[in-house]
Amino acid sequence: NKIKKSKLKHLNILEIHGFTLIPFQIILEFCEEGNLSNWLSKNKENKNNISNEKLIEIAKEICLGLEYL
């Protein structure tokens, strides 16, 4: 159950503070506004229109993070 530190660091991925193998758990940095899915849903419910440009920017940042991994 020892926590192992991660060396992954990238602007477009959450910082991984560590993980355990048994049970498998990942310890991530805190996101003040929650996860992306909740943020998108909250903005939709509040009728805050997110521009196509912003959605494309988010998609690009996701791709850059995935490319790093």
Side-chain angles (χ1 to χ4, degrees):
N1 294 1
K2 184 177 178 183
I3 295 176
K4 299 181 181 193
K5 297 252 181 191
S6 170
K7 295 179 183 176
L8 293 175
K9 289 203 183 239
H10 190 273
L11 177 66
N12 299 110
I13 61 171
L14 290 174
E15 186 174 343
I16 301 170
H17 292 292
F19 62 93
T20 62
L21 296 176
I22 301 174
F24 184 73
Q25 299 173 333
I26 301 174
I27 304 157
L28 301 172
E29 77 178 276
F30 177 74
C31 293
E32 198 167 304
E33 295 193 43
N35 64 46
L36 178 59
S37 178
N38 289 346
W39 183 83
L40 290 170
S41 295
K42 193 182 325 175
N43 279 284
K44 186 177 179 182
E45 289 170 11
N46 294 337
K47 305 223 186 289
N48 295 337
N49 291 330
I50 302 170
S51 69
N52 285 338
E53 289 81 14
K54 181 65 176 175
L55 293 173
I56 290 170
E57 178 185 344
I58 292 169
K60 284 181 181 178
E61 291 174 355
I62 291 169
C63 290
L64 289 170
L66 288 172
E67 179 182 49
Y68 174 78
L69 293 174

